[in-house]
Amino acid sequence: MSGGPREGRALFQEVKRLATTRRPTLKDVAQAAGVSTTTASVVLTNRREGVRVPDATRHRVQQAAEDLGYRPNILARSLRTQTTRTIGFVSDEVTTTPFAVGMLAAAQDEAARHGYLLFVVNLGPNAPLALQEQAIDQLAQHQVGHFIYGCMYHRVVDPPAGLPADAVFLNCEASGGRHRSIVPDERQGAYEVVKELIEAGHRRIAFLDDHRHPPASRLRFNGFRAALAEHGLEYEPALHLETTPFVRGGLVLSDLIDLPDERRPSAVFCYNDRIAMGAYRAARARGLRVPEDLSIVGFDDQEFIASELDPPLTTVRLPHREMGRLAIQLVLDEPGALDDVPESEDGVIRIAGELVRRDSVAEPRGAWGQRTPSS
Amino acid sequence: MSGGPREGRALFQEVKRLATTRRPTLKDVAQAAGVSTTTASVVLTNRREGVRVPDATRHRVQQAAEDLGYRPNILARSLRTQTTRTIGFVSDEVTTTPFAVGMLAAAQDEAARHGYLLFVVNLGPNAPLALQEQAIDQLAQHQVGHFIYGCMYHRVVDPPAGLPADAVFLNCEASGGRHRSIVPDERQGAYEVVKELIEAGHRRIAFLDDHRHPPASRLRFNGFRAALAEHGLEYEPALHLETTPFVRGGLVLSDLIDLPDERRPSAVFCYNDRIAMGAYRAARARGLRVPEDLSIVGFDDQEFIASELDPPLTTVRLPHREMGRLAIQLVLDEPGALDDVPESEDGVIRIAGELVRRDSVAEPRGAWGQRTPSS
DNA sequence: GGGGCCTGAAGAAACGTTTCACCAGACTAT
DNA sequence: ATAGTCTGGTGAAACGTTTCTTCAGGCCCC
């Protein structure tokens, strides 16, 4: 029980470990400390309830563990406890594309905060259901207990079989309504950014839309109309153009610029920032200055685009980081995770985006003459 | 040995499984098939050498496994075999930022091809060494056998302790020279894109540099000078401007445009695409057209920037996908992985980028008059 | 007709934990 | 003095695999 021989023994063990290059196990620690593995386990996992280990013994075990450089084998622990602290993050192409990369980063941060590790599997665009299920099966064989299914952009997906009921869909809505989903509040974002235009005095506002991407496009349209309606403005189908969600898609703005003065819009709401980038180009090609001659707003607050346009673009920031963090909190059943978000009726949790005011909005030319009495 | 009772038994097991919601184990399969777990294991892992199991038995076991919906428990297997098919991908902020996202995607693809799963941990920018080592320790506790350390941009890093000797550094160079590193061949890329300018007839080429980012900046500079030298052109310090690697950094081009005619550059090589974006803006502000009045080239082929500028930018594509794939192949010791890449002297593997020709390069004005006899 | 070999398979240990059940001894209360 | 309680532990099973060793029985060969 004296320190001398024990130290000698620990040293011997250490030498032996280095010689055999075997990582020390709990048994080694127990032996070095002169206790049973039971005691060593109890001490090193810091269990207190129902077990009595005097401080002297505790310290002896801890010292031995440190001396030997003991690291627990999580595999063995997980096998025994039948739980793993891992989360499977499967996605279409979140990690492939720079769009929603903040979701993964925030999820990783939050997982680390809880001591969890993330298995990330990126299936690529349009992976067949069978491939998706195979990936989930592989994760299940690794005994991962929690699943997040992330999408690059907001859409509806068919949940692959094998996904447990408490899986969380991130940036997409699971069809069937049996799973929780976290998506941006598209409607609210569109409402706010369009309201920003209206409050600047605009009355004729175009919408460069991409209706091939429901539900985002439908919801942004709803927000657009809601803002219009709330301010007594009429929705004008002629100003609602369908286009593609790329820079070149914004070039269709030319058609609207060609309109006669009284029918021409003084502001444009673009489905996303890339379309807005194209709209800038179209405006400039016609000699229109942004925002003096034409106000333009976008959606997404896409990195390297929105803030780098000239002038910087007023847009709506997608709450990707908040969404990623919440997804982890939900799968881990963190209490209070939903305190900050509004109640959802349909199991779909909508996170508000944030209006980012930059320099692409100004009063319309002749605004003072156009102002309604109420403003 | 007849089918009848065995089928009944399998059915019973199935019912029991559903009732207890316990995942069937190898023992369940063995019992259902009327063999030992040894035999079941041999059959289901498809081992052939040294073991003899007649086809009839094989089929019986396989059938039982399928009937029960047996999935092996990888944790138990890994514990026994002392190997896991997992790779730890730790990075500063690869997953946080859209720069090098292709590396992770390609790594994931290649890992999946080998049946490996990726633990991804994103430490954030400038994580203290202690935090890095803690993350590596956590992965080691999960018994991950292979490590990749990825960086957002090409730089030199101090390898955190705990990383095994066969870890691969991706998009960064490990100081100390004890590890393998994979980086883009900056010199070659710069050489090629500058040569493109020279071959278009340019003789006065500016370099908008960012020397705060060695080694990339130094190597691109080397490539720049090599191209110059090879074509008998003199390096002119006055045309080498130091700036920041952002869009606004490109605005320093104004200073060069102000130069008197005979000293003004007819082309600009930008350290990266964002600087090029700023250079476009500066040129346009002075009424210069790209490429008619000024040729501009960049570096990176950054998504949503290079291809979306007006005109689209000639640049060098960073081989992120190739690098990510190779990293996996190296840690997995795939034979022939290095066949396609040139031998490296210093343990640093340099992967060639690809010149992407777009529309930002033209002959200089008055080029015919300036041409040297040789061209 | 007996030793050797081949076939087909099983028993049990091992991987590194956690945890259930139990226990020796000392002390306490009656 | 004895029964009960508390302290400080320990032994061994269990988690689900893989794999080493062993073995029964049948056949072949001489």
Side-chain angles (χ1 to χ4, degrees):
Chain A
M1 303 259 174
S2 76
R6 182 144 300 110
E7 265 182 30
R9 187 164 197 174
L11 204 63
F12 171 75
Q13 289 286 339
E14 171 74 15
V15 169
K16 177 179 159 201
R17 183 183 74 82
L18 290 175
T20 56
T21 46
R22 183 173 66 81
R23 295 187 60 158
T25 71
L26 191 62
K27 205 199 283 185
D28 298 328
V29 173
Q31 243 161 50
V35 298
S36 69
T37 62
T38 303
T39 304
S41 172
V42 163
V43 169
L44 294 177
T45 53
N46 226 349
R47 247 167 304 156
R48 291 273 175 189
E49 43 3 303
V51 210
R52 298 153 309 229
V53 180
D55 282 353
T57 310
R58 270 183 198 281
H59 292 145
R60 231 168 56 232
V61 171
Q62 282 157 351
Q63 192 61 52
E66 184 157 339
D67 288 349
L68 295 179
Y70 169 71
R71 312 273 81 189
N73 182 329
I74 303 281
L75 259 39
R77 172 181 298 169
S78 296
L79 180 61
R80 176 61 231 246
T81 61
Q82 298 287 77
T83 59
T84 63
R85 295 176 80 81
T86 53
I87 298 171
F89 190 112
V90 358
S91 81
D92 53 355
E93 35 178 353
V94 169
T95 57
T96 320
T97 57
F99 282 109
V101 108
M103 293 194 317
L104 181 60
Q108 150 67 38
D109 286 354
E110 186 69 11
R113 231 172 50 77
H114 292 262
Y116 276 68
L117 239 32
L118 237 47
F119 275 122
V120 174
V121 8
N122 197 69
L123 294 162
N126 306 116
L129 214 54
L131 186 63
Q132 299 185 34
E133 287 164 5
Q134 183 190 315
I136 288 167
D137 184 45
Q138 192 186 7
L139 288 167
Q141 290 183 16
H142 281 260
Q143 313 299 113
V144 338
H146 309 286
F147 285 87
I148 293 175
Y149 187 106
C151 287
M152 183 181 72
Y153 65 90
H154 184 175
R155 58 198 179 100
V156 174
V157 298
D158 292 330
L163 227 40
D166 65 348
V168 166
F169 285 73
L170 183 54
N171 208 24
C172 50
E173 301 177 27
S175 63
R178 286 182 306 277
H179 297 274
R180 292 169 295 180
S181 306
I182 303 175
V183 299
D185 191 342
E186 314 276 5
R187 199 190 118 98
Q188 164 267 347
Y191 170 82
E192 290 205 21
V193 74
V194 171
K195 187 169 141 208
E196 180 81 0
L197 289 174
I198 297 173
E199 290 182 342
H202 294 277
R203 294 295 172 265
R204 298 187 60 77
I205 301 174
F207 182 19
L208 265 39
D209 192 6
D210 164 33
H211 71 196
R212 261 159 315 192
H213 284 128
S217 128
R218 185 176 40 77
L219 291 166
R220 291 181 195 180
F221 177 54
N222 285 352
F224 172 70
R225 291 201 63 162
L228 254 38
E230 189 178 300
H231 293 82
L233 299 177
E234 198 131 343
Y235 164 64
E236 211 166 317
L239 298 183
H240 185 178
L241 257 50
E242 167 59 22
T243 188
T244 52
F246 314 113
V247 174
R248 65 170 182 280
L251 302 180
V252 299
L253 178 61
S254 308
D255 298 347
L256 260 25
I257 296 177
D258 289 340
L259 253 30
D261 264 16
E262 73 282 4
R263 294 184 43 211
R264 188 190 300 151
S266 66
V268 187
F269 168 44
C270 300
Y271 173 78
N272 69 19
D273 290 351
R274 279 177 294 159
I275 293 179
M277 186 169 171
Y280 271 53
R281 195 165 294 166
R284 199 151 296 169
R286 298 305 177 100
L288 260 40
R289 291 162 307 164
V290 179
E292 292 84 351
D293 303 322
L294 185 70
S295 289
I296 297 181
V297 297
F299 209 107
D300 290 358
D301 194 27
Q302 193 173 335
E303 221 177 331
F304 304 123
I305 298 203
S307 61
E308 301 296 1
L309 286 174
D310 182 25
L313 179 70
T314 291
T315 187
V316 177
R317 186 179 63 81
L318 253 18
H320 284 147
R321 294 197 61 95
E322 292 85 340
M323 291 164 57
R325 175 157 25 87
L326 183 58
I328 296 287
Q329 292 177 346
L330 283 189
V331 295
L332 295 187
D333 256 332
E334 169 123 319
L338 290 174
D339 285 357
D340 293 343
V341 305
E343 198 64 42
S344 77
E345 336 71 47
D346 48 356
V348 178
I349 297 161
R350 300 178 193 284
I351 308 294
E354 180 196 1
L355 175 64
V356 182
R357 288 194 179 85
R358 295 204 181 90
D359 308 316
S360 63
V361 175
E363 291 183 341
R365 276 184 303 186
W368 291 107
Q370 287 182 19
R371 284 266 168 112
T372 62
S374 70
S375 67
Chain B
M1 303 263 173
S2 76
R6 182 145 299 110
E7 267 182 27
R9 186 166 195 172
L11 205 61
F12 170 75
Q13 290 285 340
E14 172 73 14
V15 169
K16 176 179 159 199
R17 183 182 73 81
L18 290 175
T20 57
T21 45
R22 186 174 65 79
R23 297 187 59 159
T25 70
L26 191 63
K27 205 199 282 184
D28 298 328
V29 174
Q31 243 161 49
V35 299
S36 69
T37 61
T38 303
T39 305
S41 173
V42 164
V43 169
L44 294 177
T45 52
N46 227 348
R47 247 167 303 154
R48 292 272 174 190
E49 51 350 309
V51 208
R52 299 152 308 229
V53 180
D55 282 351
T57 310
R58 273 184 195 279
H59 292 145
R60 231 166 57 231
V61 172
Q62 282 156 351
Q63 192 62 52
E66 184 157 340
D67 289 349
L68 295 178
Y70 169 72
R71 313 272 81 189
N73 182 329
I74 304 282
L75 258 39
R77 171 180 300 168
S78 296
L79 180 61
R80 177 61 232 247
T81 61
Q82 298 287 74
T83 60
T84 63
R85 297 175 79 82
T86 53
I87 298 171
F89 190 113
V90 358
S91 81
D92 53 355
E93 35 179 353
V94 168
T95 57
T96 320
T97 57
F99 282 108
V101 107
M103 291 193 319
L104 181 59
Q108 150 68 38
D109 285 354
E110 185 69 11
R113 231 172 50 77
H114 292 262
Y116 276 68
L117 238 31
L118 237 47
F119 276 122
V120 174
V121 9
N122 196 69
L123 294 161
N126 305 117
L129 213 55
L131 185 64
Q132 299 184 35
E133 286 165 5
Q134 184 189 315
I136 288 167
D137 184 45
Q138 192 185 7
L139 289 167
Q141 290 183 19
H142 281 260
Q143 313 300 113
V144 336
H146 309 287
F147 285 87
I148 293 175
Y149 187 106
C151 288
M152 183 182 72
Y153 65 89
H154 183 174
R155 58 197 179 99
V156 174
V157 297
D158 292 329
L163 226 41
D166 65 348
V168 167
F169 285 73
L170 184 53
N171 209 25
C172 49
E173 301 178 27
S175 64
R178 285 183 306 277
H179 296 274
R180 291 170 294 180
S181 307
I182 304 175
V183 298
D185 191 342
E186 315 276 4
R187 199 189 120 98
Q188 164 266 348
Y191 171 82
E192 289 205 18
V193 74
V194 171
K195 187 169 143 208
E196 180 79 0
L197 290 174
I198 298 173
E199 290 182 344
H202 295 276
R203 293 295 171 268
R204 298 187 58 76
I205 302 173
F207 181 20
L208 267 37
D209 192 5
D210 164 33
H211 72 195
R212 260 158 317 192
H213 283 129
S217 129
R218 186 177 39 78
L219 291 167
R220 291 181 195 179
F221 177 54
N222 285 352
F224 171 71
R225 291 201 64 161
L228 253 40
E230 188 178 301
H231 293 80
L233 299 178
E234 198 131 343
Y235 163 65
E236 209 167 316
L239 297 183
H240 185 176
L241 258 49
E242 168 57 24
T243 189
T244 53
F246 313 113
V247 174
R248 65 172 181 279
L251 301 181
V252 300
L253 179 60
S254 307
D255 298 346
L256 261 24
I257 297 178
D258 288 341
L259 255 31
D261 264 17
E262 74 282 4
R263 296 185 39 214
R264 188 189 300 152
S266 66
V268 187
F269 167 45
C270 300
Y271 173 77
N272 70 18
D273 291 351
R274 279 178 295 159
I275 292 179
M277 186 170 172
Y280 271 54
R281 195 165 295 165
R284 198 152 297 168
R286 299 303 177 102
L288 259 41
R289 292 162 305 165
V290 178
E292 293 84 352
D293 303 323
L294 185 70
S295 290
I296 297 181
V297 298
F299 209 106
D300 290 359
D301 196 26
Q302 193 173 334
E303 221 176 332
F304 305 124
I305 297 204
S307 61
E308 300 297 1
L309 286 174
D310 182 25
L313 179 69
T314 291
T315 186
V316 178
R317 185 178 66 79
L318 252 19
H320 283 147
R321 294 198 60 94
E322 291 84 341
M323 291 164 56
R325 175 156 26 84
L326 182 58
I328 297 287
Q329 292 177 346
L330 283 190
V331 294
L332 296 187
D333 256 332
E334 170 124 320
L338 289 175
D339 285 356
D340 293 343
V341 306
E343 198 66 41
S344 76
E345 337 70 49
D346 48 356
V348 178
I349 297 161
R350 302 179 190 283
I351 309 294
E354 180 196 1
L355 176 64
V356 181
R357 289 193 178 84
R358 295 206 180 90
D359 309 316
S360 63
V361 176
E363 290 182 342
R365 276 184 304 185
W368 291 107
Q370 289 182 19
R371 283 267 167 113
T372 63
S374 70
S375 66

